[in-house]
mmCIF file of all heavy atoms in Angstrom:
data_model
loop_
_atom_site.group_PDB
_atom_site.id
_atom_site.type_symbol
_atom_site.label_atom_id
_atom_site.label_comp_id
_atom_site.label_asym_id
_atom_site.label_seq_id
_atom_site.Cartn_x
_atom_site.Cartn_y
_atom_site.Cartn_z
ATOM 1 N N VAL A 1 -12.926 -11.724 -0.441
ATOM 2 C CA VAL A 1 -12.962 -12.101 -1.854
ATOM 3 C C VAL A 1 -12.788 -13.613 -1.945
ATOM 4 O O VAL A 1 -12.149 -14.227 -1.084
ATOM 5 C CB VAL A 1 -11.857 -11.361 -2.642
ATOM 6 C CG1 VAL A 1 -10.476 -11.777 -2.177
ATOM 7 C CG2 VAL A 1 -12.006 -11.560 -4.144
ATOM 8 N N GLN A 2 -13.332 -14.189 -2.973
ATOM 9 C CA GLN A 2 -13.172 -15.631 -3.192
ATOM 10 C C GLN A 2 -11.803 -15.930 -3.794
ATOM 11 O O GLN A 2 -11.209 -15.071 -4.450
ATOM 12 C CB GLN A 2 -14.270 -16.147 -4.119
ATOM 13 C CG GLN A 2 -15.661 -16.085 -3.505
ATOM 14 C CD GLN A 2 -16.702 -16.742 -4.397
ATOM 15 O OE1 GLN A 2 -16.480 -16.939 -5.590
ATOM 16 N NE2 GLN A 2 -17.828 -17.093 -3.807
ATOM 17 N N PRO A 3 -11.307 -17.138 -3.589
ATOM 18 C CA PRO A 3 -10.038 -17.509 -4.229
ATOM 19 C C PRO A 3 -10.092 -17.286 -5.737
ATOM 20 O O PRO A 3 -11.103 -17.591 -6.378
ATOM 21 C CB PRO A 3 -9.908 -19.001 -3.883
ATOM 22 C CG PRO A 3 -10.646 -19.144 -2.598
ATOM 23 C CD PRO A 3 -11.811 -18.198 -2.704
ATOM 24 N N GLY A 4 -9.014 -16.735 -6.259
ATOM 25 C CA GLY A 4 -8.971 -16.409 -7.673
ATOM 26 C C GLY A 4 -9.465 -15.013 -7.987
ATOM 27 O O GLY A 4 -9.329 -14.547 -9.126
ATOM 28 N N GLY A 5 -10.036 -14.347 -7.017
ATOM 29 C CA GLY A 5 -10.564 -13.015 -7.234
ATOM 30 C C GLY A 5 -9.502 -11.933 -7.117
ATOM 31 O O GLY A 5 -8.313 -12.208 -6.930
ATOM 32 N N SER A 6 -9.952 -10.683 -7.201
ATOM 33 C CA SER A 6 -9.042 -9.531 -7.191
ATOM 34 C C SER A 6 -9.506 -8.472 -6.197
ATOM 35 O O SER A 6 -10.707 -8.336 -5.938
ATOM 36 C CB SER A 6 -8.977 -8.893 -8.583
ATOM 37 O OG SER A 6 -8.454 -9.794 -9.532
ATOM 38 N N LEU A 7 -8.552 -7.748 -5.691
ATOM 39 C CA LEU A 7 -8.810 -6.595 -4.840
ATOM 40 C C LEU A 7 -7.756 -5.545 -5.140
ATOM 41 O O LEU A 7 -6.668 -5.861 -5.606
ATOM 42 C CB LEU A 7 -8.738 -6.957 -3.354
ATOM 43 C CG LEU A 7 -9.892 -7.733 -2.727
ATOM 44 C CD1 LEU A 7 -9.535 -8.111 -1.291
ATOM 45 C CD2 LEU A 7 -11.184 -6.932 -2.763
ATOM 46 N N ARG A 8 -8.100 -4.311 -4.851
ATOM 47 C CA ARG A 8 -7.146 -3.215 -5.025
ATOM 48 C C ARG A 8 -7.081 -2.410 -3.746
ATOM 49 O O ARG A 8 -8.115 -1.989 -3.215
ATOM 50 C CB ARG A 8 -7.561 -2.325 -6.198
ATOM 51 C CG ARG A 8 -6.516 -1.311 -6.615
ATOM 52 C CD ARG A 8 -6.942 -0.598 -7.890
ATOM 53 N NE ARG A 8 -5.951 0.338 -8.389
ATOM 54 C CZ ARG A 8 -5.001 0.022 -9.250
ATOM 55 N NH1 ARG A 8 -4.896 -1.216 -9.689
ATOM 56 N NH2 ARG A 8 -4.134 0.952 -9.664
ATOM 57 N N LEU A 9 -5.885 -2.206 -3.243
ATOM 58 C CA LEU A 9 -5.651 -1.395 -2.048
ATOM 59 C C LEU A 9 -5.051 -0.056 -2.457
ATOM 60 O O LEU A 9 -4.243 0.011 -3.367
ATOM 61 C CB LEU A 9 -4.693 -2.106 -1.097
ATOM 62 C CG LEU A 9 -5.105 -3.484 -0.588
ATOM 63 C CD1 LEU A 9 -4.007 -4.064 0.289
ATOM 64 C CD2 LEU A 9 -6.415 -3.407 0.166
ATOM 65 N N SER A 10 -5.458 0.974 -1.767
ATOM 66 C CA SER A 10 -4.947 2.311 -2.046
ATOM 67 C C SER A 10 -4.361 2.924 -0.783
ATOM 68 O O SER A 10 -4.882 2.722 0.314
ATOM 69 C CB SER A 10 -6.069 3.193 -2.592
ATOM 70 O OG SER A 10 -5.591 4.506 -2.847
ATOM 71 N N CYS A 11 -3.294 3.681 -0.957
ATOM 72 C CA CYS A 11 -2.642 4.384 0.150
ATOM 73 C C CYS A 11 -2.332 5.796 -0.322
ATOM 74 O O CYS A 11 -1.516 5.970 -1.240
ATOM 75 C CB CYS A 11 -1.373 3.647 0.549
ATOM 76 S SG CYS A 11 -0.392 4.456 1.835
ATOM 77 N N VAL A 12 -2.982 6.760 0.275
ATOM 78 C CA VAL A 12 -2.777 8.156 -0.110
ATOM 79 C C VAL A 12 -1.997 8.864 0.979
ATOM 80 O O VAL A 12 -2.422 8.900 2.141
ATOM 81 C CB VAL A 12 -4.110 8.876 -0.344
ATOM 82 C CG1 VAL A 12 -3.852 10.329 -0.766
ATOM 83 C CG2 VAL A 12 -4.927 8.158 -1.408
ATOM 84 N N GLY A 13 -0.864 9.401 0.605
ATOM 85 C CA GLY A 13 -0.031 10.105 1.567
ATOM 86 C C GLY A 13 -0.259 11.601 1.534
ATOM 87 O O GLY A 13 -0.621 12.174 0.509
ATOM 88 N N SER A 14 -0.075 12.230 2.674
ATOM 89 C CA SER A 14 -0.159 13.678 2.750
ATOM 90 C C SER A 14 0.936 14.188 3.677
ATOM 91 O O SER A 14 1.408 13.471 4.561
ATOM 92 C CB SER A 14 -1.539 14.130 3.255
ATOM 93 O OG SER A 14 -1.780 13.613 4.546
ATOM 94 N N GLY A 15 1.320 15.423 3.425
ATOM 95 C CA GLY A 15 2.327 16.028 4.296
ATOM 96 C C GLY A 15 3.747 15.695 3.940
ATOM 97 O O GLY A 15 4.669 15.935 4.739
ATOM 98 N N PHE A 16 3.980 15.117 2.752
ATOM 99 C CA PHE A 16 5.348 14.837 2.358
ATOM 100 C C PHE A 16 5.513 14.886 0.851
ATOM 101 O O PHE A 16 4.544 14.806 0.102
ATOM 102 C CB PHE A 16 5.804 13.485 2.914
ATOM 103 C CG PHE A 16 5.106 12.288 2.317
ATOM 104 C CD1 PHE A 16 5.635 11.628 1.227
ATOM 105 C CD2 PHE A 16 3.930 11.809 2.863
ATOM 106 C CE1 PHE A 16 5.004 10.508 0.687
ATOM 107 C CE2 PHE A 16 3.296 10.691 2.333
ATOM 108 C CZ PHE A 16 3.836 10.045 1.241
ATOM 109 N N ASN A 17 6.766 14.999 0.454
ATOM 110 C CA ASN A 17 7.131 15.011 -0.955
ATOM 111 C C ASN A 17 7.467 13.575 -1.369
ATOM 112 O O ASN A 17 8.402 12.973 -0.858
ATOM 113 C CB ASN A 17 8.351 15.909 -1.171
ATOM 114 C CG ASN A 17 8.747 16.009 -2.637
ATOM 115 O OD1 ASN A 17 8.314 15.224 -3.466
ATOM 116 N ND2 ASN A 17 9.570 16.975 -2.960
ATOM 117 N N PHE A 18 6.698 13.025 -2.280
ATOM 118 C CA PHE A 18 6.856 11.632 -2.693
ATOM 119 C C PHE A 18 8.283 11.316 -3.106
ATOM 120 O O PHE A 18 8.792 10.239 -2.825
ATOM 121 C CB PHE A 18 5.891 11.340 -3.845
ATOM 122 C CG PHE A 18 5.934 9.928 -4.337
ATOM 123 C CD1 PHE A 18 5.155 8.948 -3.740
ATOM 124 C CD2 PHE A 18 6.750 9.570 -5.403
ATOM 125 C CE1 PHE A 18 5.189 7.635 -4.189
ATOM 126 C CE2 PHE A 18 6.781 8.267 -5.863
ATOM 127 C CZ PHE A 18 6.003 7.291 -5.248
ATOM 128 N N ASP A 19 8.949 12.260 -3.741
ATOM 129 C CA ASP A 19 10.286 12.002 -4.263
ATOM 130 C C ASP A 19 11.334 11.839 -3.157
ATOM 131 O O ASP A 19 12.449 11.396 -3.425
ATOM 132 C CB ASP A 19 10.715 13.117 -5.212
ATOM 133 C CG ASP A 19 9.947 13.079 -6.522
ATOM 134 O OD1 ASP A 19 9.493 11.970 -6.910
ATOM 135 O OD2 ASP A 19 9.771 14.130 -7.150
ATOM 136 N N ASP A 20 10.992 12.189 -1.926
ATOM 137 C CA ASP A 20 11.916 12.059 -0.805
ATOM 138 C C ASP A 20 11.675 10.786 0.002
ATOM 139 O O ASP A 20 12.408 10.514 0.955
ATOM 140 C CB ASP A 20 11.783 13.252 0.142
ATOM 141 C CG ASP A 20 12.212 14.553 -0.498
ATOM 142 O OD1 ASP A 20 13.061 14.511 -1.418
ATOM 143 O OD2 ASP A 20 11.685 15.610 -0.094
ATOM 144 N N TYR A 21 10.672 10.022 -0.384
ATOM 145 C CA TYR A 21 10.253 8.872 0.420
ATOM 146 C C TYR A 21 10.271 7.581 -0.386
ATOM 147 O O TYR A 21 10.058 7.578 -1.599
ATOM 148 C CB TYR A 21 8.831 9.086 0.962
ATOM 149 C CG TYR A 21 8.756 10.015 2.138
ATOM 150 C CD1 TYR A 21 8.905 11.386 1.958
ATOM 151 C CD2 TYR A 21 8.548 9.539 3.426
ATOM 152 C CE1 TYR A 21 8.847 12.258 3.031
ATOM 153 C CE2 TYR A 21 8.479 10.396 4.505
ATOM 154 C CZ TYR A 21 8.631 11.760 4.306
ATOM 155 O OH TYR A 21 8.567 12.615 5.380
ATOM 156 N N ALA A 22 10.527 6.497 0.335
ATOM 157 C CA ALA A 22 10.313 5.153 -0.185
ATOM 158 C C ALA A 22 9.076 4.593 0.506
ATOM 159 O O ALA A 22 8.817 4.904 1.671
ATOM 160 C CB ALA A 22 11.523 4.268 0.099
ATOM 161 N N MET A 23 8.336 3.775 -0.221
ATOM 162 C CA MET A 23 7.077 3.276 0.334
ATOM 163 C C MET A 23 6.933 1.795 0.046
ATOM 164 O O MET A 23 7.536 1.273 -0.906
ATOM 165 C CB MET A 23 5.895 4.042 -0.262
ATOM 166 C CG MET A 23 5.919 5.532 0.051
ATOM 167 S SD MET A 23 4.496 6.417 -0.628
ATOM 168 C CE MET A 23 3.182 5.804 0.423
ATOM 169 N N GLY A 24 6.112 1.147 0.839
ATOM 170 C CA GLY A 24 5.899 -0.276 0.621
ATOM 171 C C GLY A 24 4.587 -0.757 1.206
ATOM 172 O O GLY A 24 3.951 -0.072 2.014
ATOM 173 N N TRP A 25 4.208 -1.932 0.764
ATOM 174 C CA TRP A 25 3.050 -2.630 1.317
ATOM 175 C C TRP A 25 3.556 -3.841 2.101
ATOM 176 O O TRP A 25 4.393 -4.611 1.605
ATOM 177 C CB TRP A 25 2.113 -3.099 0.213
ATOM 178 C CG TRP A 25 1.287 -2.001 -0.370
ATOM 179 C CD1 TRP A 25 1.534 -1.283 -1.504
ATOM 180 C CD2 TRP A 25 0.068 -1.497 0.170
ATOM 181 N NE1 TRP A 25 0.556 -0.353 -1.705
ATOM 182 C CE2 TRP A 25 -0.374 -0.461 -0.696
ATOM 183 C CE3 TRP A 25 -0.716 -1.802 1.273
ATOM 184 C CZ2 TRP A 25 -1.555 0.264 -0.469
ATOM 185 C CZ3 TRP A 25 -1.878 -1.089 1.499
ATOM 186 C CH2 TRP A 25 -2.290 -0.073 0.628
ATOM 187 N N PHE A 26 3.018 -3.981 3.298
ATOM 188 C CA PHE A 26 3.376 -5.077 4.172
ATOM 189 C C PHE A 26 2.097 -5.805 4.577
ATOM 190 O O PHE A 26 1.008 -5.227 4.534
ATOM 191 C CB PHE A 26 4.092 -4.549 5.423
ATOM 192 C CG PHE A 26 5.371 -3.823 5.120
ATOM 193 C CD1 PHE A 26 5.351 -2.513 4.668
ATOM 194 C CD2 PHE A 26 6.594 -4.445 5.275
ATOM 195 C CE1 PHE A 26 6.519 -1.835 4.364
ATOM 196 C CE2 PHE A 26 7.774 -3.781 4.983
ATOM 197 C CZ PHE A 26 7.740 -2.475 4.526
ATOM 198 N N ARG A 27 2.254 -7.046 4.993
ATOM 199 C CA ARG A 27 1.083 -7.765 5.485
ATOM 200 C C ARG A 27 1.474 -8.598 6.687
ATOM 201 O O ARG A 27 2.626 -9.012 6.834
ATOM 202 C CB ARG A 27 0.473 -8.636 4.386
ATOM 203 C CG ARG A 27 1.308 -9.841 3.974
ATOM 204 C CD ARG A 27 0.648 -10.573 2.816
ATOM 205 N NE ARG A 27 1.415 -11.753 2.416
ATOM 206 C CZ ARG A 27 1.145 -12.474 1.337
ATOM 207 N NH1 ARG A 27 0.124 -12.149 0.546
ATOM 208 N NH2 ARG A 27 1.881 -13.535 1.049
ATOM 209 N N GLN A 28 0.474 -8.847 7.511
ATOM 210 C CA GLN A 28 0.685 -9.700 8.683
ATOM 211 C C GLN A 28 -0.532 -10.579 8.864
ATOM 212 O O GLN A 28 -1.643 -10.082 9.068
ATOM 213 C CB GLN A 28 0.954 -8.872 9.938
ATOM 214 C CG GLN A 28 1.342 -9.710 11.139
ATOM 215 C CD GLN A 28 1.909 -8.884 12.267
ATOM 216 O OE1 GLN A 28 1.704 -7.680 12.362
ATOM 217 N NE2 GLN A 28 2.672 -9.529 13.149
ATOM 218 N N ALA A 29 -0.301 -11.871 8.779
ATOM 219 C CA ALA A 29 -1.359 -12.847 9.012
ATOM 220 C C ALA A 29 -1.359 -13.222 10.487
ATOM 221 O O ALA A 29 -0.336 -13.097 11.173
ATOM 222 C CB ALA A 29 -1.130 -14.081 8.146
ATOM 223 N N PRO A 30 -2.488 -13.692 11.006
ATOM 224 C CA PRO A 30 -2.552 -14.077 12.423
ATOM 225 C C PRO A 30 -1.479 -15.095 12.780
ATOM 226 O O PRO A 30 -1.310 -16.100 12.090
ATOM 227 C CB PRO A 30 -3.957 -14.669 12.552
ATOM 228 C CG PRO A 30 -4.742 -14.000 11.485
ATOM 229 C CD PRO A 30 -3.788 -13.828 10.336
#
């Protein structure tokens, strides 16, 4: 994407009850 633009990331979980879990987004640059 160009600077100033937008993106949307999605994460779909399976095999667990959402209310029992904490979740997060992490990133790692080179």
Side-chain angles (χ1 to χ4, degrees):
V1 64
Q2 293 186 341
S6 297
L7 285 174
R8 190 173 183 91
L9 301 177
S10 179
C11 176
V12 181
S14 60
F16 68 93
N17 182 345
F18 181 87
D19 289 333
D20 294 333
Y21 282 74
M23 298 181 71
W25 284 97
F26 299 79
R27 70 184 181 188
Q28 187 167 21

